Amino acid sequence: MTMQLDANGRLRHLLTLEGLPRATLLQLLDRAGQIRDAAVGRVGKRNVLAGSAVCTLFFEPSTRTRSSFQLAAQRLGADVLNFDASTSSTRKGESDRDTLKNLEAMSVRGFVVRHPEDGAVARLAAEAGEGTALVNAGDGRSAHPTQGLLDMLTLRQSKGSDFSRLKVLIVGDVKHSRVARSDLHALRTLGAGEIRVCGPASLLPEDGLLEGCQVGDDLDAMLEGVDAVMMLRLQRERMEEGLVPSLEQYHTRYGLTATRLRRAAPDAAVLHPGPVNRGVEITDEVVDGPQSWVLRQVANGVAVRMAVLETLLG
């Protein structure tokens, strides 16, 4: 998406990882790795954004992502404004664009936007003034670029930077997952050796997203020898829509247990974007076990978001 880059190829907004140049993606990952100590509070605040204001503009609920961006902005010295659409003027009929423009008029330069509609953040970015930067914190089923970046940073930490040797398996509801889309775009850009995707046919996309992936519905077979397993949250509304017969049956076929995990490489890393449905897509034994990188993903989220905000606004 060319709107993300300015005329000099510098990052202006972060809307999607699809089509993002490999060099830009690597630059963000490298920067996140460098400032990880500041991100987790081991060293003092970096004041590169002192005097700047960042707004978390959320039209959809979120705990982890909002908190992570808020901490990231604060650790860069920015003033943070939290905007919750459920308690704001949008309930009185104000348009998303007018909300953005009013906050821009208060000299807010950075916007972290979560929205239930596909493409909504890109539409807002098109309306943004010069010097305003937008970060997509998840829109519809489209993209969640910072989650994709933090997943790649976690994979790097667990498996090294040469992705060409990696076999990565993504399991679950890929069709409705903006996280899976961002992960797939990033894995391709970074040259992952083999990408496998496993899930029931009702939860797999039909739009060409899985082109070049090895796709199947037998989790035991798909786990054989993989270096990393990325589990996706089963969105329970899929059960109500009839796309999954029951949580129990889903767990039997697609739940990651310690026994199943033994089919993967001995040091395979287990990732999950959260929130985790324990006993549905993954068991306690695995999510709390020695191969789980789930809490590292959460910590990496702050570092990645600091890198993104610093790159866009610093």
Side-chain angles (χ1 to χ4, degrees):
M1 186 177 289
T2 50
M3 196 200 309
Q4 297 197 109
L5 304 173
D6 66 16
N8 302 314
R10 285 190 50 184
L11 200 63
R12 185 179 170 216
H13 305 291
L14 182 64
L15 307 174
T16 177
L17 298 184
E18 184 177 10
L20 192 71
R22 179 185 164 91
T24 306
L25 206 155
L26 288 172
Q27 205 173 6
L28 290 170
L29 292 178
D30 290 344
R31 191 72 193 120
Q34 288 162 4
I35 58 180
R36 194 173 179 279
D37 281 349
V40 294
R42 289 201 194 106
V43 296
K45 248 168 65 167
R46 299 170 49 74
N47 288 313
V48 290
L49 295 188
S52 296
V54 173
C55 176
T56 59
L57 189 58
F58 277 50
F59 297 92
E60 202 178 50
S62 162
T63 305
R64 251 174 323 279
T65 303
R66 185 198 280 270
S67 306
S68 182
F69 268 110
Q70 189 176 347
L71 269 176
Q74 285 170 340
R75 286 185 178 153
L76 291 168
D79 298 317
V80 184
L81 182 66
N82 285 317
F83 178 98
D84 184 350
S86 64
T87 57
S88 74
S89 295
T90 54
R91 294 194 68 179
K92 302 174 188 172
E94 182 172 89
S95 71
D96 297 354
R97 180 193 179 279
D98 286 343
T99 299
L100 175 81
K101 287 295 172 192
N102 277 285
L103 290 164
E104 269 189 323
M106 298 178 206
S107 301
V108 177
R109 289 179 57 217
F111 291 87
V112 176
V113 187
R114 170 163 286 196
H115 205 288
E117 290 172 27
D118 292 326
V121 187
R123 287 193 291 276
L124 279 174
E127 299 284 351
E130 195 65 42
T132 296
L134 271 73
V135 182
N136 183 355
D139 65 328
R141 302 176 188 176
S142 297
H144 196 345
T146 57
Q147 179 72 45
L149 287 169
L150 73 89
D151 287 347
M152 296 309 111
L153 182 61
T154 307
L155 272 182
R156 252 189 177 194
Q157 290 165 350
S158 61
K159 298 285 140 202
S161 56
D162 183 5
F163 277 44
S164 68
R165 298 179 296 117
L166 290 189
K167 292 178 184 149
V168 181
L169 170 63
I170 298 176
V171 183
D173 184 4
V174 178
K175 185 175 190 170
H176 304 98
S177 173
R178 53 195 174 204
V179 173
R181 286 178 181 271
S182 289
D183 280 338
L184 283 162
H185 293 314
L187 285 168
R188 286 190 178 113
T189 300
L190 295 172
E194 191 178 306
I195 305 171
R196 301 180 191 176
V197 175
C198 181
S202 58
L203 297 181
L204 296 180
E206 297 156 0
D207 59 359
L209 177 70
L210 304 184
E211 202 175 314
C213 300
Q214 193 179 318
V215 183
D217 63 1
D218 181 345
L219 180 56
D220 291 320
M222 298 293 273
L223 275 165
E224 289 294 340
V226 297
D227 302 294
V229 191
M230 307 176 85
M231 303 302 294
L232 299 172
R233 180 172 68 90
L234 179 68
Q235 298 166 27
R236 290 176 185 245
E237 57 270 29
R238 306 300 161 227
M239 209 176 82
E240 287 153 30
E241 290 167 6
L243 298 177
V244 179
S246 73
L247 295 179
E248 293 74 20
Q249 193 183 88
Y250 183 86
H251 179 69
T252 301
R253 290 202 63 187
Y254 301 104
L256 186 62
T257 62
T259 304
R260 273 200 163 125
L261 184 55
R262 290 191 198 109
R263 293 175 176 272
D267 60 346
V270 176
L271 286 74
H272 191 303
V276 176
N277 292 310
R278 290 169 178 262
V280 180
E281 60 259 1
I282 194 166
T283 60
D284 290 348
E285 199 181 358
V286 176
V287 80
D288 299 326
Q291 288 171 258
S292 172
W293 286 74
V294 174
L295 292 178
R296 178 68 75 94
Q297 285 173 273
V298 177
N300 282 339
V302 181
V304 157
R305 287 156 182 147
M306 282 177 73
V308 168
L309 291 172
E310 183 185 84
T311 301
L312 290 171
L313 299 169

